[in-house]
Amino acid sequence: MAAVSSLVALASLNLFLSDVRDGLGPFLGVFLQQKQWSPGEIGLVMTLGGLAGMVATVPMGALVDSSRAKRAIVVVGSAVVIAASMAILLAPSFSVVALAQGVNGIAAAALGPAVAGITLGLVGPAGFDRQLGRNEAFNHAGNILAAVLAGVLGWWLGLPAVFALMAAMAVGSVLSVLAIRPGDIDHEAARGLAPAPVGDGGQAEGWRRLLADRRLLVLAVTLALFHLGNGAMLPLFGQGMVARGAGDPSALTALTVVVAQATMIPMALLAARLAQTQGYRLVLIIALAALPLRGLIAAAATEWNIGLGLYPVQILDGVGAGLLGVATPGIVARLLQGTGRFNVGLGLVMTAQGIGAALSTTLAGFVAQYAGYAAAFLVLGGAALVAAATYLIGGAPGGGPAGAREGDPAGGIATGKIAA
């Protein structure tokens, strides 16, 4: 078990890294909207960043699996995100923003697996579900802190103040990860490799067998469809309300973030609890069910300019994202326990998520441009219905309480002793 000081540093890392890992998030759309970018252009440039992250996610997962310098990956990734975001502030042309978003996507692709690997290396499989809930709670608390500060600073000093806030959060994340004691990280456990008998070095799972695991592929497709519907919902909702003249852009965008993130904290803790007692299947089904309802309410709120619609829309965002933030790495860890390919498998699933999220912004942007914001929200909500059907028809992987590893339809890949 890791020293308490390392776990405190891990909590601090999740608090500060929350604002860094997602880049400018919904503030990017509002910032570019103020620079007279069209919804289609904003969606396209966000897609480019998502595609870059998609391509990099599996290689970054493999890097985290093989590297014993996981803390350094977090330091470098944080610095890269800040540099790219500053480039957007200084030169918001299409070419600069597209390149910066691509760089952001690649850096973020490394940060997610690095934090997951550090967490698994610190607490091991037995404590992973509970620690995931704590990680996500601190992550969402950090998002609330950053959003409140960004809203205040943006209202007072303008949107460029948001960029300075990101830089300050990056410094906090670097100091936090450096406070984690290197000796507390079990790098074999961090990649999901089963302990080997004395005198027998454990080896990681082969790639072909990993890719043949039907459960992992069903999960990947399900999450790709979910993020196709979810990826553009928050930034598009902010743009839609701003277009309706609902209030100050910085304050309104910050409020959408705060309401969602405040909901995610109890949802993350609930997800960890349900995973330990009921398994992840119920967690994922609830998350999938929240998005279609959210799309309907968002469509009504933007069509009829219902200011109070912001609250149920963002509460439901918190339900879905809060549950999935815990469920995604948790399910992957259970499916690939003992394979030595946890971060690669997580990278594969995150790649699928990235595909969905990247296409989401372009899809929503052009639907909003030609058919209106309400139509865009209905299309996004419909994607979640397809995701739920895929998950249930595909066998709904992720059931069983903590400590129970599901059977392996792909032929049993949990020995951790198959040559890479």
Side-chain angles (χ1 to χ4, degrees):
M1 182 68 179
V4 173
S5 61
S6 290
L7 294 179
V8 171
L10 177 64
S12 178
L13 172 62
N14 279 279
L15 181 76
F16 287 112
L17 196 62
S18 59
D19 191 48
V20 178
R21 182 168 50 188
D22 296 332
L24 291 168
F27 287 96
L28 176 62
V30 174
F31 175 74
L32 295 178
Q33 190 177 32
Q34 290 189 340
K35 299 296 181 180
Q36 281 70 55
W37 286 46
S38 71
E41 290 175 321
I42 295 172
L44 179 59
V45 80
M46 287 182 171
T47 292
L48 294 176
L51 291 175
M54 173 199 71
V55 172
T57 301
V58 172
M60 291 298 103
L63 173 65
V64 172
D65 272 339
S66 62
S67 174
R68 304 182 76 85
K70 295 176 177 62
R71 301 187 312 155
I73 292 173
V74 174
V75 171
V76 173
S78 299
V80 168
V81 169
I82 295 305
S85 298
M86 291 303 172
I88 294 174
L89 171 64
L90 297 174
S93 67
F94 186 87
S95 58
V96 171
V97 175
L99 178 60
Q101 281 295 98
V103 171
N104 273 342
I106 294 171
L111 290 173
V115 174
I118 290 171
T119 302
L120 187 55
L122 287 174
V123 303
F128 194 50
D129 291 337
R130 177 176 296 177
Q131 189 59 46
L132 281 176
R134 293 172 178 169
N135 279 6
E136 287 300 303
F138 277 99
N139 182 281
H140 300 314
N143 277 324
I144 292 174
L145 174 64
V148 170
L149 291 175
V152 172
L153 293 173
W155 170 76
W156 183 27
L157 301 172
L159 277 173
V162 176
F163 294 79
L165 175 63
M166 278 188 60
M169 298 286 280
V171 171
S173 67
V174 169
L175 295 176
S176 298
V177 76
L178 293 178
I180 297 175
R181 294 168 51 184
D184 287 345
I185 302 174
D186 182 339
H187 290 282
E188 298 306 310
R191 66 185 299 179
L193 190 62
V198 176
D200 182 13
Q203 293 180 312
E205 188 65 47
W207 281 75
R208 285 184 299 176
R209 191 177 289 266
L210 179 72
L211 294 174
D213 190 340
R214 181 182 58 81
R215 303 160 307 159
L216 190 65
L217 298 180
V218 168
L219 178 65
V221 172
T222 298
L223 293 178
L225 290 167
F226 175 86
H227 283 276
L228 176 65
N230 188 70
M233 191 80 74
L234 174 57
L236 191 71
F237 188 67
Q239 293 171 48
M241 297 303 283
V242 168
R244 290 281 187 176
D248 176 77
S250 297
L252 180 63
T253 304
L255 183 59
T256 64
V257 174
V258 168
V259 173
Q261 296 294 329
T263 307
M264 291 178 197
I265 295 175
M267 287 299 104
L269 298 174
L270 174 63
R273 178 61 178 168
L274 288 175
Q276 292 179 296
T277 59
Q278 304 294 325
Y280 281 110
R281 184 175 294 120
L282 177 61
V283 176
L284 198 55
I285 289 174
I286 295 173
L288 293 173
L291 186 56
L293 180 58
R294 183 180 172 216
L296 286 172
I297 298 174
T302 53
E303 182 68 19
W304 294 301
N305 198 17
I306 304 173
L308 292 177
L310 179 146
Y311 297 99
V313 166
Q314 296 313 101
I315 288 171
L316 289 170
D317 179 29
V319 171
L323 296 176
L324 283 182
V326 174
T328 301
I331 295 175
V332 173
R334 289 193 184 183
L335 295 180
L336 301 183
Q337 181 181 337
T339 67
R341 296 290 190 188
F342 165 62
N343 287 293
V344 173
L346 183 59
L348 177 64
V349 172
M350 291 175 66
T351 296
Q353 291 182 167
I355 294 173
L359 294 176
S360 179
T361 52
T362 294
L363 172 65
F366 283 108
V367 172
Q369 184 169 329
Y370 294 108
Y373 286 101
F377 289 123
L378 294 177
V379 170
L380 295 177
L385 296 177
V386 181
T390 300
Y391 183 64
L392 295 173
I393 294 172
R405 187 182 187 278
E406 293 186 19
D408 186 359
I413 66 171
T415 64
K417 299 181 63 177
I418 300 173

